[in-house]
Amino acid sequence: MPPNTTATKGDTATAGATPGTSGRKKGRKARLIVLVLVLALIGGIAYGAYWSISTVRASFPQTTGSITLDGLSGPVDVKRDGNGIPQIYASSDEDLFMAQGYVQAQDRFYEMDVRRHMTSGRLSEMFGKGQVKNDEFLRTLSWDRIAEEEYDTKLSDSTKKYLQAYAKGVNAYLQGKDGKDISLEYAALGFTNDYKPEKWSPVDSVSWLKAMAWDLRGNMQDEVDRALMTSRLGPQQIADLYPEYPYSRNKPIVQKGQYNELTKTFQQGDATGGSQGAAGTTGSSTSSTSGSALTSQLAGLYKVLDDVPTAVGVNGQGIGSNSWVVSGQYTITGKPLLANDPHLSPSLPSVWYQMGLHCRSVSSKCQYDVTGYTFAGMPGVIIGHNADIAWGMTNSGVDVTDLYLEKLSGNGYLYDGKVRPFKSREETIKVAGGQSKKIVVRQTADGMPLLSDRDDELVQVGKRATVNTAAPDRGDGYGIALRWTALDPGTSMDAVFAIDKAADWDDFRSAAALFDVPSQNLVYADTENHIGYTLPGKIPTRSSADSGSIPAPGWESKYRWTGFIKQDELPYEYNPKRGYIVTANQAVVDQDKYPYTLTTDWGYGTRSQRITDLIESKIKDGGKISTDDMRQMQLDNSSEIAKLLVPKLLKINLDDKNVREAQKLLEGWDYTQDADSAAAAYFNAVWRNILKLAFGNKLPKELRVKGQCLWVHKVDSTGPVDDDTKVRECGQRDADQAQPDGGDRWFEVVRKLMDKPDSDWWKTPASGTRPKADNRDQLFARAMIDARWELTAKLGKDIDTWNWGRLHRLFLKNQTLGTEGPKFLQYVLNRGPWRLSGGEATVNATGWNAAGGYSVVWVPSMRMVVNLKDLDKSKWINLAGASGHAYSAHYTDQTSKWAKGELLPWSFSDKAVDESTSDTLVLKP
C-alpha cells in the first residue's frame, strides 16, 4: 500500500495546502518575492502566461501542522529554526531515517533526482540530447552498477534497513505529486518533455558516494597534465613544474611518526595514547618514466572528464579543505575545539544539507543523537558531532587512480604477451525528445573500463605516444583504461552510520576503517579532552617504480596494483604533545619515514602551515584559543606568495608613471586580501601575469585557456621542431580549468626559481609595445606593466576606485537549468554576485584560476567550529540555504552572512533546539 500523506482533520496545515509559516512578516515576504517572480516572468517571457503564484509556491514544503505517513511506528517531530534547518526527533532508527528522507525530499528532491540521474548515466532522460556524451561516459564508469553490487554484497543488514527506511520517506513525499508540485525546475522541464520523477531506491543513495569519490579521486588530473606537457616540454622542464614537497618548511599532518626498519612499525613518537600500527614491507614509488607518456590526444580524455557535470557543485579541480583541532590545554574552555571548511565549487543549492537526527531516548532501538552536514539523498550525517565526539574531513589526495595504455587487438587487449577478451555489455541511453542511443561498454578482465571508447579523439589515442622500444606496435593507437578504487564495491555507507554513533576514539577508528572511498583525512575530538587524526581508505600498493604518476603500459602485469595498504598500517595520531593537529591537503607523512608511497602529488602545504603558524602565535606565552579565534583563523586572507614577491616587486625600476602609481599600492601592504583592498587587486593581477609570461605561454594548447591564441614553434610527432617555423595555436581548456591555475604548486615553482634569475623560464618575447624579458626582474617589470593596464581596462584608470572584491566575485548558479537553460530560467534560479575577500591557497580559500581570470571558482562550501565543552556554543554556516526551492526564504539566506565570515548558532540540546525553533511539523503514523 502506498504511503498516506494526507493531513489529519483539524490540523493547522493540510497536505497540499499553502505551507505554514511562523509569522505574518515571513508570509508577507514570501508573497512579495513570489509576486516579483511572477511579474518578471509575465513581463519578460512568453512562458509567463503559464506561470502563476500557485505554480511557484506549489513546491514549498509544509513546515507546520501534521502529516500522516504510512510506515512510521510512532510520531516524529520536525523542528526548523529561523533558517529552515531541520532537527528531527524520533523513537526508533527506522522512523528517524524515514523522516530524514521525507524532509530532505521536501527541501531538495529535484537536486536528489539530478544526482541519481548523473550517477546512473541517465541525464539525457531529463535534459535531452545535450547530455548524451556525459551519459555515455558515466555508463562506462558504472557507478550505479557498482553501488547495486555494494548494496547486495557489502553493506551490513542495519545499513540496508536504514537505506530502505530513508527511501520509504522520500517516496512518501513523492506520493501523489506531479512535477510542478515538487519544484519549479520540473515545471520548467514540462515545457520541453514529459519527464516524471520515479520512486527513490536505496541504491540511489549509495551511488552518490561514488560521485563524491570521483571528485576527490586524487592525482588523475596531474597524470593527464604531465603527459600532455611532453609535447612541448622536456623531462627537466616538467620536473620544474612539479617540485618536491617542501617538508622542511611545511610540516606534514603526522609529524612525529617514524618507520622502524627492524620492527616494520610506523610509530607515533609523541603520542600519549592509542595503539601503534604495524607497517608492511613492500615499498613503492610513483616516479616518472620515459616509457609511458601520452601526447595531446589525452586532451580528448580531459574534455570528457571536464564535461562530466558537477550537477550539485562538486568539482575535481582545485578541491582542498581545512580542518584542525586544538586540545583543551590550549583553549579557553579547557576542552577541544574543532574547525572544518571543505572547499568545493559553488552551486545552488549548496552541496551540503544541515540537519540534526535525534533519538528521544538513545537505546538499542534508537541509537542516534547526531547533528551536522550531510548530502541531500543520503541518510545519516557526514561531518559534524554527536553527544560525545566531533569530526571533520579534508581530502587526503592519496593516489587511488591509474590510467593505463592498452594495446587493442580486435575486441581484446594485449596482456603479458597474450590477447585477452574485453568484458562487454550494451547500454541503451534514453533521450528526452529524441532517439535512444545504444553504446557498448568494454572492460578489462580485472574490471577497468576502457575510457577511450567514449570520445572520438581517443579512438586514435597513443598515435604519437612516446613509449620504450619494448612496447608493442601502436597500430592505430593505444586505448586508455582506468583503475580506480571506487570501481570496487565497498563499505563507506556502513562507515557513515558507525561514525555517527561512535562514542570514543576506538569506536571512531573502527568506524573510519570502513570508509574506503573516498580516502579522507579525518580529525577527531571528544568531550573527554582527546584529539586525534586517522587516514582511512582503500589505498593501492604498486610493485613498479614506473606506475602512479603518469599513464602506465597496460600490456605488462608488473604495472598492475599488487594489493592495498592494510588499515592498521595507515598513518594516524592520537593526543600529540604539540596539542593540535592541522590537515589542509598537505603531505600526510614525511615520505622518507613511511614504507608506502601514498602519492607524489600532495598539496604543497601553504594553507596548513599558515594555520599552524596562527595556532602557534595564539598559544605562545600561555595564550588560549576561543571559538571565535577559530572562526577568525578560517577567515585569514594572508597571501603567502605576496610575502615572497612583493619585496622584489618594490625594487623594480619602472619608467611609466602610471605603473609606478600602481606599484606604490604595494608599499606598506600587509599582504591581506580583503575585498576592499586595492593592493590585493593589483598584486593578484601581477601574479597572474607573471604566471602567464613565465609558464602559461609555454604550455601546450591542451592546457591553455580556450581561445587564447599564440604563435608557437611547430611540433611534430617527436616534439618541437628545431627551426623557426611557427604556427598559430589556440588554447582548449575552459577558463576555470586551465594552467597555470596559480595554486600553491605554482607558489613552490616560483619560489625555487627565485634564486635562478637567469633561468629560461623568465625569458619571454616582446609583444606589441611590451618589452621582451631576458631575466627574472625584466619579466617582473613586464608583468607589472601588463597588470596595470589589465586593471585599467577592467576597473578604470583611477586606482582609488580599485579593490579586490570588484574582480573577485562569487556567482551562485543552479547546476542544471541555471547554466544550460533559457536566459529567463537562469535569471530565476541563479544569484549573485557577492564581492569576496580571500584568494588562492589562503586559509579563506575563495579560489580563482590565474590562467582564466579572477572570478571565484571554489569556496569554503561550509564552515563549522565545534565546542566540545558546550556543544550548544558550536557555530556553523552553509554556503547557500536549507532550501533548493528558488524564491524560498531559505534559498540563499545564509550566503551574505557566509560572505562576511559570520557563523550561525548551532543548537544541539533539546532545550537549545526548542528555543531556536520557528516551525514544528509532526509526522504521524
Side-chain angles (χ1 to χ4, degrees):
M1 179 179 295
N4 180 353
T5 58
T6 58
T8 56
K9 185 177 180 180
D11 289 331
T12 57
T14 57
T18 301
T21 61
S22 59
R24 295 180 181 176
K25 183 175 181 182
K26 184 189 295 184
R28 286 196 299 270
K29 181 179 180 181
R31 286 193 293 273
L32 177 61
I33 59 179
V34 169
L35 180 60
V36 169
L37 168 62
V38 173
L39 288 175
L41 290 170
I42 293 174
I45 2 113
Y47 288 123
Y50 296 98
W51 297 69
S52 65
I53 290 177
S54 61
T55 300
V56 174
R57 299 191 64 178
S59 59
F60 285 13
Q62 178 179 333
T63 59
T64 61
S66 65
I67 296 174
T68 299
L69 299 184
D70 286 344
L72 288 175
S73 64
V76 177
D77 296 326
V78 181
K79 301 179 180 182
R80 294 178 183 263
D81 67 11
N83 292 101
I85 300 169
Q87 304 279 346
I88 299 176
Y89 290 83
S91 298
S92 73
D93 290 339
E94 291 92 330
D95 284 357
L96 191 65
F97 295 119
M98 182 177 175
Q100 183 181 18
Y102 186 89
V103 170
Q104 286 193 341
Q106 280 188 306
D107 284 334
R108 301 275 194 98
F109 182 77
Y110 174 77
E111 173 194 7
M112 294 162 58
D113 200 16
V114 171
R115 285 179 173 182
R116 66 167 165 179
H117 277 77
M118 183 186 77
T119 57
S120 59
R122 296 169 54 212
L123 288 165
S124 300
E125 294 179 19
M126 295 184 75
F127 305 111
K129 62 182 181 181
Q131 294 298 325
V132 169
K133 280 283 188 183
N134 290 327
D135 283 346
E136 290 179 4
F137 185 72
L138 293 162
R139 294 286 181 99
T140 301
L141 288 176
S142 305
W143 289 342
D144 59 332
R145 288 173 175 267
I146 298 160
E148 188 169 2
E149 185 179 352
E150 197 163 289
Y151 180 82
D152 290 339
T153 65
K154 290 290 186 179
L155 298 182
S156 68
D157 289 342
S158 61
T159 293
K160 292 180 182 178
K161 182 172 61 176
Y162 300 155
L163 288 164
Q164 291 163 3
Y166 181 90
K168 187 188 297 185
V170 175
N171 292 327
Y173 168 76
L174 294 177
Q175 181 66 35
K177 288 183 173 64
D178 293 327
K180 64 180 176 60
D181 301 321
I182 298 173
S183 81
L184 187 64
E185 289 93 332
Y186 287 124
L189 284 176
F191 290 124
T192 58
N193 63 54
D194 58 355
Y195 173 80
K196 298 187 186 307
E198 301 170 353
K199 286 187 175 181
W200 194 262
S201 80
V203 174
D204 292 333
S205 296
V206 179
S207 295
W208 183 241
L209 279 175
K210 301 299 178 186
M212 288 305 299
W214 176 256
D215 285 296
L216 301 169
R217 63 192 177 274
N219 76 331
M220 191 163 115
Q221 191 56 60
D222 289 314
E223 286 191 46
V224 172
D225 285 358
R226 276 189 290 261
L228 289 170
M229 287 178 183
T230 60
S231 67
R232 289 225 166 261
L233 304 178
Q236 183 55 54
Q237 291 172 308
I238 295 174
D240 288 346
L241 302 186
Y242 288 89
E244 293 182 355
Y245 185 89
Y247 288 102
S248 62
R249 188 174 68 255
N250 296 342
K251 301 300 182 186
I253 297 170
V254 179
Q255 295 182 20
K256 296 296 184 180
Q258 60 184 0
Y259 177 61
N260 185 308
E261 188 62 36
L262 295 177
T263 63
K264 300 294 188 289
T265 301
F266 182 65
Q267 300 173 333
Q268 305 309 311
D270 68 346
T272 59
S275 60
Q276 296 175 343
T281 60
T282 304
S284 65
S285 172
T286 55
S287 61
S288 301
T289 174
S290 61
S292 56
L294 286 178
T295 57
S296 61
Q297 279 84 2
L298 268 173
L301 173 59
Y302 181 85
K303 181 70 167 63
V304 176
L305 301 181
D306 191 31
D307 279 350
V308 173
T310 56
V312 290
V314 289
N315 187 309
Q317 286 294 98
I319 285 180
S321 296
N322 302 321
S323 189
W324 67 95
V325 60
V326 180
S327 171
Q329 64 184 307
Y330 293 126
T331 69
I332 289 175
T333 67
K335 290 290 179 72
L337 295 171
L338 185 150
N340 195 189
D341 55 284
H343 307 156
L344 301 169
S345 63
S347 70
L348 271 178
S350 55
V351 66
W352 297 107
Y353 185 93
Q354 299 156 283
M355 71 187 318
L357 301 170
H358 307 279
C359 290
R360 293 190 178 95
S361 178
V362 176
S363 66
S364 60
K365 180 182 178 183
C366 196
Q367 305 171 73
Y368 295 89
D369 187 18
V370 62
T371 181
Y373 297 85
T374 187
F375 305 125
M378 273 185 55
V381 167
I382 305 298
I383 295 173
H385 72 80
N386 59 32
D388 301 304
I389 73 166
W391 67 96
M393 294 185 184
T394 64
N395 190 25
S396 69
V398 297
D399 187 0
V400 295
T401 60
D402 281 334
L403 294 171
Y404 287 89
L405 296 176
E406 300 291 349
K407 168 58 181 174
L408 307 182
S409 178
N411 193 36
Y413 61 99
L414 191 66
Y415 189 77
D416 282 349
K418 296 181 181 180
V419 175
R420 287 186 171 185
F422 283 109
K423 296 187 293 184
S424 63
R425 68 177 187 273
E426 187 175 81
E427 296 266 358
T428 300
I429 297 172
K430 296 178 181 178
V431 182
Q435 294 291 321
S436 296
K437 181 175 181 180
K438 293 184 183 296
I439 64 169
V440 174
V441 175
R442 296 193 290 178
Q443 293 179 320
T444 62
D446 48 357
M448 297 195 301
L450 196 65
L451 302 185
S452 50
D453 281 348
R454 297 283 75 86
D455 190 271
D456 293 340
E457 293 183 61
L458 291 177
V459 173
Q460 305 299 320
V461 70
K463 271 190 172 180
R464 288 164 46 196
T466 302
V467 292
N468 60 29
T469 55
D473 177 74
R474 72 187 71 235
D476 287 332
Y478 303 124
I480 303 176
L482 170 67
R483 183 73 171 99
W484 176 36
T485 53
L487 298 182
D488 300 331
T491 56
S492 292
M493 199 70 238
D494 284 342
V496 172
F497 295 113
I499 290 173
D500 283 356
K501 62 181 180 182
D504 56 28
W505 172 246
D506 289 337
D507 283 353
F508 181 74
R509 281 264 290 166
S510 297
L514 299 169
F515 209 98
D516 43 21
V517 291
S519 177
Q520 298 287 286
N521 296 312
L522 296 181
V523 294
Y524 166 94
D526 64 36
T527 55
E528 297 300 314
N529 212 3
H530 302 295
I531 65 173
Y533 161 84
T534 189
L535 174 70
K538 193 173 184 180
I539 303 171
T541 56
R542 301 168 174 89
S543 61
S544 172
D546 296 331
S547 62
S549 62
I550 56 176
W555 46 84
E556 295 185 45
S557 58
K558 71 177 183 178
Y559 292 96
R560 290 299 205 262
W561 294 353
T562 59
F564 300 95
I565 304 174
K566 294 178 181 179
Q567 288 297 309
D568 61 2
E569 296 173 0
L570 289 169
Y572 71 93
E573 263 190 323
Y574 185 60
N575 291 336
K577 290 180 180 178
R578 65 184 179 277
Y580 60 84
I581 301 170
V582 176
T583 84
N585 317 114
Q586 79 271 39
V588 172
V589 293
D590 188 329
Q591 203 62 62
D592 291 338
K593 299 177 181 178
Y594 187 67
Y596 299 110
T597 296
L598 297 172
T599 185
T600 56
D601 291 305
W602 303 113
Y604 282 79
T606 301
R607 281 179 287 110
S608 62
Q609 194 57 43
R610 175 61 178 171
I611 294 167
T612 296
D613 292 344
L614 291 170
I615 293 171
E616 291 283 356
S617 69
K618 291 293 294 186
I619 64 177
K620 69 178 181 181
D621 302 325
K624 301 288 185 178
I625 293 174
S626 69
T627 301
D628 197 60
D629 290 331
M630 300 284 275
R631 180 188 70 86
Q632 293 285 356
M633 291 178 195
Q634 289 179 322
L635 303 179
D636 182 77
N637 294 318
S638 178
S639 170
E640 296 304 298
I641 191 63
K643 294 176 184 177
L644 175 69
L645 293 183
V646 166
K648 297 289 186 184
L649 297 176
L650 287 174
K651 294 178 181 178
I652 303 293
N653 292 319
L654 298 164
D655 296 329
D656 189 318
K657 67 176 183 180
N658 292 296
V659 182
R660 289 200 308 273
E661 181 186 32
Q663 183 187 35
K664 287 182 179 296
L665 291 172
L666 303 178
E667 294 179 358
W669 180 41
D670 63 358
Y671 314 120
T672 298
Q673 301 170 98
D674 293 332
D676 61 0
S677 170
Y682 182 59
F683 172 77
N684 283 318
V686 173
W687 170 237
R688 178 179 184 236
N689 280 279
I690 287 173
L691 292 171
K692 178 181 177 181
L693 295 169
F695 311 106
N697 291 348
K698 298 162 189 174
L699 295 177
K701 62 182 182 295
E702 294 87 0
L703 275 68
R704 298 201 313 270
V705 176
K706 189 181 296 181
Q708 180 196 90
C709 300
L710 300 169
W711 287 96
V712 298
H713 286 286
K714 187 176 180 181
V715 174
D716 65 14
S717 60
T718 63
V721 175
D722 191 19
D723 61 24
D724 292 330
T725 304
K726 288 192 175 183
V727 294
R728 184 171 168 81
E729 272 190 358
C730 298
Q732 297 180 348
R733 283 201 182 169
D734 290 340
D736 61 352
Q737 303 289 319
Q739 292 293 339
D741 62 19
D744 64 355
R745 172 164 68 89
W746 295 99
F747 290 14
E748 197 63 20
V749 169
V750 170
R751 185 185 297 275
K752 287 185 175 298
L753 289 171
M754 288 295 286
D755 294 331
K756 301 175 182 177
D758 296 317
S759 167
D760 285 345
W761 287 112
W762 299 125
K763 294 178 170 60
T764 192
S767 176
T769 61
R770 303 288 198 268
K772 71 172 183 176
D774 290 320
N775 57 46
R776 182 196 65 199
D777 290 352
Q778 288 177 4
L779 185 137
F780 283 3
R782 167 78 179 273
M784 295 174 78
I785 295 168
D786 289 354
R788 184 2 163 163
W789 298 114
E790 180 189 358
L791 294 197
T792 297
K794 292 180 182 296
L795 303 179
K797 189 173 182 179
D798 184 359
I799 65 172
D800 290 338
T801 67
W802 291 2
N803 65 60
W804 179 223
R806 289 180 63 194
L807 292 170
H808 194 54
R809 299 185 300 167
L810 170 67
F811 293 85
L812 292 180
K813 295 184 178 182
N814 176 291
Q815 290 299 294
T816 55
L817 300 179
T819 57
E820 299 294 335
K823 291 295 183 183
F824 89 92
L825 265 181
Q826 294 187 37
Y827 173 80
V828 167
L829 296 173
N830 299 339
R831 300 290 183 271
W834 287 267
R835 298 181 178 185
L836 297 188
S837 301
E840 184 64 26
T842 63
V843 181
N844 185 17
T846 55
W848 55 285
N849 187 299
Y854 305 97
S855 294
V856 177
V857 296
W858 57 83
V859 294
S861 55
M862 62 79 158
R863 297 186 183 102
M864 74 177 197
V865 179
V866 182
N867 182 330
L868 275 299
K869 173 68 172 179
D870 184 346
L871 293 168
D872 287 330
K873 291 183 179 178
S874 302
K875 304 286 186 179
W876 63 351
I877 196 83
N878 207 352
L879 173 63
S883 179
H885 299 287
Y887 294 95
S888 161
H890 305 306
Y891 191 48
T892 56
D893 58 333
Q894 297 186 50
T895 308
S896 292
K897 291 182 174 63
W898 172 93
K900 296 174 185 174
E902 298 176 14
L903 298 176
L904 299 174
W906 186 356
S907 300
F908 178 68
S909 70
D910 293 349
K911 181 175 182 291
V913 169
D914 285 342
E915 289 175 351
S916 65
T917 295
S918 295
D919 292 354
T920 300
L921 173 69
V922 180
L923 303 177
K924 296 182 177 181

